[in-house]
Amino acid sequence: MDDIKSKNSKQNDLILRILRSTRCHPNASWIFAEARKEIPNISLGTVYRNLKNLIRKGKIQELSIGNGLTLYDGDLRSHDHIQCMVCSKVDDVPHLFHSVAFNQVEEATGYEVVSRRIEFFGTCPECVKKSKAI
């Protein structure tokens, strides 16, 4: 039993470390490829199980970006995201208006706000450059 527990913990720790060491918002296949560099026999199913476990424990964020695509974010600090409508890349948005938005929403609705998620959409610099080159 201890071998199973330590193996799962090792895999869990590795996946968390991978997510916290990158600024990109990877999908499970990317995480799987990175994890195989350290644990060559890890399965994609194991990666998915550990991702679900980390989400449940509140250690990572799951980003559903449409078209059935799911990305993961190891940065738990309060921040928003911007998604490219051309290539679906997701980037972090600098923390610009967190407390003002909370106060205004609370005053307007009477709710006590505990969190928020704002998503921006546009065209990333790489896709803009490609479109101008055509």
Side-chain angles (χ1 to χ4, degrees):
M1 185 75 160
D2 288 333
D3 289 338
I4 292 171
K5 185 177 180 183
S6 65
K7 181 178 177 184
N8 288 338
S9 178
K10 179 180 175 184
Q11 294 164 340
N12 218 13
D13 292 347
L14 173 61
I15 291 167
L16 183 59
R17 185 165 30 91
I18 289 168
L19 278 168
R20 290 196 173 156
S21 69
T22 184
R23 292 191 41 85
C24 74
H25 300 81
N27 62 23
S29 295
W30 186 92
I31 297 164
F32 171 62
E34 291 297 306
R36 287 188 60 148
K37 292 175 183 176
E38 288 191 41
I39 304 175
N41 64 340
I42 194 170
S43 71
L44 184 56
T46 297
V47 170
Y48 275 111
R49 279 190 299 281
N50 281 279
L51 287 168
K52 287 181 182 181
N53 184 41
L54 290 166
I55 292 163
R56 186 178 48 76
K57 289 181 175 181
K59 295 190 177 212
I60 64 170
Q61 294 182 55
E62 179 179 45
L63 308 171
S64 297
I65 63 166
N67 297 329
L69 297 174
T70 301
L71 303 179
Y72 301 91
D73 192 348
D75 184 357
L76 295 179
R77 294 175 295 177
S78 180
H79 66 283
D80 301 311
H81 296 100
I82 186 163
Q83 179 182 347
C84 179
M85 297 178 349
V86 178
C87 69
S88 298
K89 175 183 175 182
V90 174
D91 283 308
D92 293 334
V93 173
H95 184 55
L96 303 173
F97 45 79
H98 180 72
S99 61
V100 173
F102 271 40
N103 294 340
Q104 290 175 339
V105 170
E106 286 180 342
E107 287 176 20
T109 65
Y111 278 68
E112 182 178 316
V113 177
V114 294
S115 70
R116 58 99 177 77
R117 182 177 71 189
I118 298 174
E119 298 173 279
F120 296 92
F121 298 90
T123 306
C124 73
E126 293 85 9
C127 289
V128 168
K129 192 182 296 184
K130 286 178 190 174
S131 71
K132 289 182 179 179
I134 296 176

